[in-house]
Amino acid sequence: FASNCPVLIKQGKEAAAKLKADDPKAKQATAKLEEAQKLHDSGKHSDSIKSAKDALALLGITAK
């Protein structure tokens, strides 16, 4: 799981960067991605993946 988190987080950040900064979905997704990064850093990889996938869903993206 540990190696999947950064990939999903990167995907989400790249997608969010394409939206306007004041877009509510971009803000929500960015918050979820920050949460995912913190969970990843603390070793909670399954929770991190869930949070990252939630962010991707907000952005209308399917995890690769």
Side-chain angles (χ1 to χ4, degrees), residues 16 19-30 58-59:
L19 299 175
K20 291 183 179 181
D22 62 348
D23 184 313
K25 285 188 179 184
K27 288 181 180 181
Q28 284 181 301
T30 300
L58 282 168
L59 296 168

Side-chain angles (χ1 to χ4, degrees), residues 1 4-5 8-9 11-12 29 32-33 36 46-64:
F1 283 135
N4 291 336
C5 306
L8 295 173
I9 293 167
Q11 253 185 300
K32 286 278 189 190
L33 293 168
S46 60
D47 292 335
S48 175
I49 288 172
K50 182 185 181 316
S51 186
K53 285 184 176 181
D54 288 347
L56 292 176
L58 282 168
L59 296 168
I61 297 172
T62 305
K64 294 180 184 175

